[in-house]
Amino acid sequence: MSTIDNEALQWVICQTRGALDDAERAAFDAWYAADIRHQGAYLRARAINRALDQAQIQKTLRPRLERLALEWAGASWNQANSRRTFMKAGGAAAGIAALAVAAVLRAAPDRAVLTTAKGEFRKVPLADKSVATINSGSRIELRLTQQKRQVSLTRGEAWFEVAKDKSKPFIVDTGEVLVRAVGTAFGVRRYANGAEVLVTEGTVEVWSKDGSAQKRLLTAGEHAFVDVHATEISVARQPREVERKLAWREGKLIFNNQTLSEAVADFNRYSPRKIIIVDPQLWNRKLVGQYQIDAPELFAKDVSTFLDVPIVITADKIMIGDAHGVDGKKGNGGSARG
């Protein structure tokens, strides 16, 4: 395993132990910004972490196996293509590796602030045995009391696996929108004008804080966007769309007839190399495909091929299209890699 991959795995292990202190955060930020290869290695290490954490844990094993797990994870990753989803190994090896990751996870305290930098993901066990998976560039504030479990999503997006406790409701507050659940799993993304709620398991209750929109129940496979000025909440049952929008948990971006502008906005949530659509006529072109979050250059090259437009790639940005306009050779859509 390369030195960079080793460093990335060490940072992931440090972060799963809990929030970094100021000095550690500064050191990580400097390392992450120093080289685009660091950023790709870090995302790969996070994907390995998630895969290992999902494997079966053998209770008889001990945390002393952490180094063995890191070596196994690194060897496994080097055998995989960086553009593919990491595949878990089976049997005892998976059990050993999963324990090593799980053993260093420490529950967040009853009151805490959890943040992620751009391109960073965190999976944090909470004191009530719930788990928060936090997307890039996000911030949540925890307040767990004897009466209720309160989470304020002040920026970005998170997915919550809620431990059952009927005596203490689990409430996510985005400022204008409230979501309440007991023993379920759901995602919440905060926008300037409201919040989107996506349910993957169980049932949640959604309403606006000012009371203008009455409460609605959402069940697994349903999602809703609650505008801050909405007088009613419209719920859609689209299980595949819910999974598509939550694919970031696996380090992926999936497009199913999304516009180019939507796809670019998704990539720009994660990549330090900003994608810019030079020609406004391309904004509404539709795309279908699946990409790793850390592959904006591959995405841009596919767009260039399928939409027959030029691209310019520099160290800090990717420009798509010609400022003088498109020639109209292609239709209104294109296919990208699956």
Side-chain angles (χ1 to χ4, degrees), residues 29-282:
D29 289 344
W31 176 85
Y32 185 83
D35 193 321
I36 189 68
R37 293 174 299 172
H38 292 181
Q39 296 150 20
Y42 178 75
L43 289 174
R44 292 194 296 272
R46 294 296 299 182
I48 291 172
N49 184 5
R50 287 192 297 273
L52 297 182
D53 192 47
Q54 292 170 0
Q56 293 295 318
I57 299 174
Q58 296 183 28
K59 294 181 180 179
T60 57
L61 300 176
R62 295 290 180 262
R64 61 185 173 82
L65 295 171
E66 176 178 324
R67 173 51 52 191
L68 173 62
L70 287 177
E71 293 172 355
W72 172 82
S76 297
W77 178 259
N78 284 339
Q79 294 171 7
N81 186 301
S82 64
R83 293 176 183 171
R84 297 177 182 174
T85 302
F86 179 80
M87 301 299 293
K88 294 181 293 186
I96 292 171
L99 174 67
V101 176
V104 299
L105 290 176
R106 183 178 63 190
D110 291 349
R111 290 179 177 269
V113 175
L114 305 174
T115 63
T116 54
K118 188 171 187 177
E120 178 186 5
F121 307 85
R122 295 183 64 186
K123 185 172 184 177
V124 183
L126 308 184
D128 69 331
K129 298 184 180 180
S130 298
V131 178
T133 302
I134 310 171
N135 202 355
S136 166
S138 301
R139 184 178 188 273
I140 66 174
E141 299 175 1
L142 303 176
R143 293 188 299 278
L144 308 182
T145 69
Q146 294 295 326
Q147 292 74 39
K148 65 180 179 180
R149 298 171 286 175
Q150 185 83 27
V151 178
S152 294
L153 178 64
T154 60
R155 182 177 69 247
E157 181 177 15
W159 180 65
F160 303 96
E161 298 167 273
V162 181
K164 291 183 179 180
D165 187 346
K166 293 182 178 180
S167 66
K168 291 190 292 185
F170 189 100
I171 299 175
V172 177
D173 183 348
T174 68
E176 301 293 338
V177 178
L178 295 168
V179 186
R180 179 165 55 201
V182 175
T184 186
F186 63 98
V188 182
R189 181 176 177 182
R190 180 168 180 166
Y191 292 85
N193 63 332
E196 184 174 33
V197 181
L198 306 107
V199 182
T200 56
E201 181 182 330
T203 302
V204 304
E205 190 174 35
V206 183
W207 71 99
S208 59
K209 186 176 290 186
D210 64 7
S212 59
Q214 294 185 350
K215 295 179 180 180
R216 289 291 305 271
L217 290 178
L218 278 68
T219 59
E222 294 182 337
H223 65 101
F225 179 81
V226 186
D227 189 282
V228 293
H229 303 300
T231 57
E232 62 178 319
I233 299 172
S234 178
V235 177
R237 172 167 292 279
Q238 296 176 311
R240 290 187 179 181
E241 181 67 359
V242 168
E243 290 301 318
R244 184 192 73 80
K245 290 189 174 186
L246 292 173
W248 58 267
R249 298 172 299 168
E250 305 298 328
K252 296 187 294 185
L253 291 174
I254 299 174
F255 307 121
N256 183 18
N257 284 321
Q258 273 62 55
T259 65
L260 178 60
S261 59
E262 290 172 332
V264 165
D266 277 343
F267 267 107
N268 285 342
R269 293 178 68 192
Y270 306 99
S271 176
R273 181 183 291 183
K274 185 176 183 180
I275 303 178
I276 301 170
I277 305 175
V278 178
D279 182 0
Q281 295 184 57
L282 300 176

